[in-house]
Amino acid sequence: MTKKFSSLLIFIITLSSCAQNKTEEITTDNNGNIIVRKEITNEKELVKTSEEILEEFYKNQNDIESLDKLISFRSYQKTPYVKFKETMETKNKVCGKLIEKKIVEKEFSEDKKAIRYKILVNYEKKKTIEQIVMIKETENSNFLIFDYNIKTN
């Protein structure tokens, strides 16, 4: 009887630990088309520094869908997802593979909820000057990319 009870208890504990409350956050454009769909779980999100977000952005430039979690929904309100995706695809074709990057300027807003980076980037085909503005949507959230601009030399 004890073995069965122990087995049942372990099974219930395992089952309850696998259960998660999941919700979806959906962002739409002005026409009601879904542009961003994010799954949110009840697990606490790991807070990352702005530099870690920046590293993840450059590491995943060829996987545009994975960049979505780094982009603020406010960014899509001014630059539609389709246009951002086209910009990244064009940049990847024109510039080629990332070789190295160097942060040359870093400026915080007075309330520390926004940061602007100016980055010199060397790709295999071109050198660029890129500006990334990140914001915190809430006090305890990660920085997310609000604006991305690129100038080629």
Side-chain angles (χ1 to χ4, degrees), residues 25-42:
E25 178 182 295
I26 299 173
T27 305
T28 59
D29 64 13
N30 293 338
N31 298 325
N33 298 321
I34 296 174
I35 55 174
V36 179
R37 176 173 280 172
K38 295 182 182 178
E39 191 174 278
I40 303 168
T41 64
N42 60 353

Side-chain angles (χ1 to χ4, degrees), residues 52-107:
E52 289 173 321
I53 299 295
L54 197 63
E55 284 299 318
E56 198 169 333
F57 177 78
Y58 280 100
K59 184 176 93 178
N60 294 304
Q61 289 213 340
N62 292 320
D63 184 8
I64 298 165
E65 282 74 32
S66 73
L67 295 179
D68 185 50
K69 66 183 177 186
L70 307 175
I71 308 295
S72 167
F73 77 92
R74 288 181 171 92
S75 176
Y76 293 135
Q77 291 174 337
K78 67 181 187 69
T79 305
Y81 176 74
V82 173
K83 184 169 169 108
F84 171 74
K85 187 175 177 180
E86 287 172 1
T87 300
M88 294 303 293
E89 288 171 345
T90 301
K91 182 202 66 81
N92 290 339
K93 287 178 189 172
V94 170
C95 297
K97 185 179 174 183
L98 173 72
I99 296 174
E100 66 178 343
K101 66 184 178 348
K102 180 182 179 185
I103 298 170
V104 292
E105 281 182 31
K106 178 178 169 179
E107 180 182 3

Side-chain angles (χ1 to χ4, degrees), residues 105-122:
E105 281 182 31
K106 178 178 169 179
E107 180 182 3
F108 281 95
S109 63
E110 285 184 27
D111 63 3
K112 304 288 187 207
K113 291 184 181 177
I115 186 170
R116 181 185 61 81
Y117 287 99
K118 183 176 177 182
I119 306 155
L120 296 177
V121 186
N122 187 13

